[in-house]
Amino acid sequence: MGELGGFLRYRRVNGPKRPVEERVRDYREYQHTLPPEELREQGARCMECGVPFCHNGCPLGNLIPDWNDLVYRDRWKDAIEALHATNNFPEFTGRVCPAPCEAACVLDINDDPVTIKQIEVSIIDRAYDEGWVRPQPPPVRSGRTVAVIGSGPAGLAAAAELNRFGHEVTVYERADRVGGLLTYGIPDFKLEKWVVQRRVDLLAAEGVKFRTGVAVGKDVSAQELRERHDAVVICTGSTVPRDLPVPGRELDGIHFAMEYLEQRNRWVAGEYPDGTPITAAGKHVVIIGGGDTGADCLGNANREGAASVVQFELLPEPPRERPTDITPWPRWPLILRTSAAHEEGGERRFSVMTTHFSGEDGRVTHLHGHEVGPPPSFEKIEGTEFTIRADLVLLAMGFLHPERPLLEQFGVELDERGNVAATDYHTSVEGVFAAGDCRRGQSLVVWAISEGRQAARACDRWLHSLDADEGEDLIAMLAE
């Protein structure tokens, strides 16, 4: 794969980013890609590994060495076919995936890994530009109908695959636009929304039906949905956020991160909310949670012109190099990750615990906390107490499980974490399947796509079993 010995000749080169002083003034994507000739050199670094561990690192099992080699050989049209063979939405993963495939690259043992993610997004963007990505409706319809609840990456992947199998698919989305987390969670500076809409339009052209503004469980009951369709796939995500039950939590100005991110994404789209907006403009902002959601809040706060931004994390600061005793290759390394948002400003503090909030006239003004020791005890370090100004506090501490009312209507069983229990993606209720974060818990976009694809296959097998049973019943009836 690639050029023989190419990994010895060429060094890893990352795609350029827009200058910080430029990108913080707008919400356009910050990442550029390399020109084709340089991408060919990056593809040339892919080795004949024998066992390509990148396959295992990628939840989708992407054919990474294949399309790296095709890019190296300037066979871009073949590359998009290899890419689409395992990934319905490479334009999403190529922009927002943290690239576990690169952490599993054999080169990452003692060198810089292949720029897999950059090559991936370059393939799909060129394929769109060249007109190679076109609607491909199924040639034959099965006569079966499937409802998909939720239009995030898991729901879209499930819908795309089920439609490809020939079933009539309707996606029910309670928001007014399709995309779920892709549309309302991930900021435009990481994933512009025309990229999402382009793929949604393609799915619609292939026959997938979208019903937005329909909250299943309220506007239409679970029973009604099951009566309308032969099968149901639940892809509602994990949307119950983890709270911070400390004194002062009830003060105005303390919000869950997704409340803020959704408002900002709507604002960028020209949708202005009623009432008082959640804004960081001119405020001292504290973000509690050191993950990607917290970094997304940081990027938005920087673009709004916050007076200051501090991001707190309960865990200690990770090492800068892969700790081989904890996360050896090819496992996902536990290291300090600096996102583009962190490059743009703001302070990060680790090993910090919030004890309470204080405020004036019902609104938060200060956060109080102290430093802690390592897990699992997180013991207080005496003498480290502090108080900082906090006009806006954003809770970005992850999500617990999916919302219960809809699941209770369907009567599906839950696992010990409160997620939908679904062996082989089939829930405890016949004909009802589940995929994505509502089944596996909060995870990555790439895992959601993988889950949606697998659930679609399980649902398709079940629908074919119905056809077989009906055929046997008809034969028995004719025999009588």
Side-chain angles (χ1 to χ4, degrees):
M1 295 296 173
E3 180 181 322
L4 185 63
F7 66 97
L8 298 173
R9 295 186 183 90
Y10 308 114
R11 307 305 305 165
R12 177 184 171 108
V13 178
N14 295 315
K17 298 175 184 175
R18 297 170 58 209
V20 169
E21 61 274 12
E22 173 189 306
R23 69 186 193 231
V24 295
R25 294 199 295 266
D26 61 46
Y27 287 83
R28 292 185 293 110
E29 289 181 13
Y30 64 83
Q31 183 72 61
H32 292 311
T33 56
L34 293 170
E37 279 307 309
E38 291 190 50
L39 286 168
R40 288 188 63 195
E41 290 184 356
Q42 294 303 300
R45 297 185 72 236
C46 191
M47 306 184 296
E48 183 68 65
C49 296
V51 178
F53 283 83
C54 54
H55 285 306
N56 184 62
C58 175
L60 287 163
N62 279 337
L63 307 176
I64 295 164
D66 298 57
W67 37 262
N68 279 340
D69 180 65
L70 290 166
V71 166
Y72 163 65
R73 300 182 188 282
D74 205 26
R75 294 168 55 186
W76 290 80
K77 191 171 184 179
D78 293 330
I80 187 56
E81 292 181 5
L83 184 51
H84 266 154
T86 56
N87 187 352
N88 300 80
F89 315 124
E91 64 270 41
F92 304 158
T93 53
R95 285 172 164 83
V96 303
C97 183
C101 54
E102 295 188 10
C105 175
V106 174
L107 268 176
D108 199 45
I109 297 175
N110 61 354
D111 199 350
D112 294 326
V114 175
T115 57
I116 299 169
K117 178 178 172 180
Q118 184 178 176
I119 293 173
E120 176 183 18
V121 75
S122 299
I123 293 170
I124 182 61
D125 284 352
R126 176 165 179 175
Y128 272 115
D129 292 342
E130 297 283 355
W132 298 332
V133 182
R134 298 174 182 172
Q136 295 181 343
V140 179
R141 288 292 179 182
S142 67
R144 296 292 185 179
T145 66
V146 183
V148 176
I149 307 174
S151 69
L156 291 179
E161 290 296 292
L162 287 164
N163 181 69
R164 183 175 295 173
F165 295 148
H167 308 303
E168 294 281 355
V169 182
T170 302
V171 178
Y172 293 84
E173 170 56 58
R174 65 183 178 182
D176 53 356
R177 285 193 292 158
V178 174
L181 175 75
L182 301 168
T183 298
Y184 291 110
I186 299 173
D188 284 59
F189 52 80
K190 290 172 61 177
L191 176 65
E192 292 186 35
K193 302 316 163 206
W194 65 266
V195 176
V196 180
Q197 191 60 48
R198 178 177 61 183
R199 180 62 73 166
V200 171
D201 291 342
L202 187 72
L203 292 175
E206 292 177 338
V208 177
K209 300 179 179 65
F210 294 98
R211 293 194 60 190
T212 57
V214 178
V216 177
K218 295 181 180 178
D219 301 319
V220 56
S221 69
Q223 182 62 33
E224 288 175 308
L225 207 65
R226 295 195 65 198
E227 291 172 355
R228 292 180 190 176
H229 301 278
D230 297 302
V232 176
V233 184
I234 303 174
C235 301
T236 54
S238 180
T239 53
V240 177
R242 181 176 283 105
D243 208 340
L244 185 62
V246 298
R249 169 64 179 89
E250 74 285 351
L251 293 168
D252 288 342
I254 304 174
H255 303 273
F256 290 117
M258 202 52 63
E259 295 178 72
Y260 173 67
L261 292 175
E262 179 175 347
Q263 275 205 15
R264 295 313 303 164
N265 279 13
R266 287 184 179 276
W267 184 88
V268 173
E271 303 172 14
Y272 306 109
D274 296 331
T276 304
I278 305 172
T279 177
K283 295 180 179 178
H284 296 278
V285 181
V286 178
I287 302 166
I288 301 179
D292 288 341
T293 301
D296 291 344
C297 291
L298 172 63
N300 271 295
N302 286 331
R303 281 160 178 76
E304 282 198 89
S308 68
V309 188
V310 181
Q311 186 177 9
F312 287 157
E313 170 58 58
L314 178 64
L315 295 169
E317 181 175 342
R320 297 180 183 271
E321 301 292 334
R322 181 197 289 266
T324 55
D325 58 332
I326 301 175
T327 51
W329 179 89
R331 292 181 59 191
W332 179 246
L334 177 64
I335 58 174
L336 179 66
R337 302 182 187 280
T338 301
S339 71
H342 294 125
E343 298 169 358
E344 297 163 359
E347 178 188 358
R348 275 198 285 184
R349 293 180 61 179
F350 295 88
S351 299
V352 172
M353 179 177 289
T354 300
T355 58
H356 63 285
F357 301 103
S358 59
E360 297 176 2
D361 300 323
R363 184 168 186 85
V364 67
T365 57
H366 292 86
L367 178 149
H368 307 266
H370 58 74
E371 295 179 10
V372 296
S377 60
F378 296 108
E379 292 184 3
K380 176 182 178 181
I381 299 177
E382 296 297 335
T384 62
E385 299 85 355
F386 66 88
T387 297
I388 64 168
R389 176 77 178 272
D391 305 317
L392 174 65
V393 178
L394 300 173
L395 306 180
M397 302 181 296
F399 298 86
L400 298 173
H401 49 68
E403 296 171 29
R404 296 288 170 75
L406 172 64
L407 305 181
E408 290 170 355
Q409 277 199 27
F410 276 103
V412 297
E413 292 182 1
L414 306 178
D415 64 19
E416 64 279 1
R417 296 185 299 162
N419 299 318
V420 181
T423 304
D424 192 25
Y425 304 93
H426 205 155
T427 72
S428 57
V429 178
E430 189 74 3
V432 178
F433 300 79
D437 289 4
C438 73
R439 189 190 84 97
R440 66 175 286 117
Q442 179 187 354
S443 191
L444 305 174
V445 167
V446 66
W447 267 115
I449 296 172
S450 175
E451 290 256 322
R453 289 171 61 88
Q454 296 298 326
R457 292 188 179 95
C459 181
D460 179 61
R461 287 194 297 268
W462 182 79
L463 290 170
H464 280 298
S465 73
L466 294 184
D467 294 334
D469 291 343
E470 289 178 1
E472 292 176 1
D473 292 342
L474 178 60
I475 292 173
M477 182 181 68
L478 292 174
E480 293 176 358

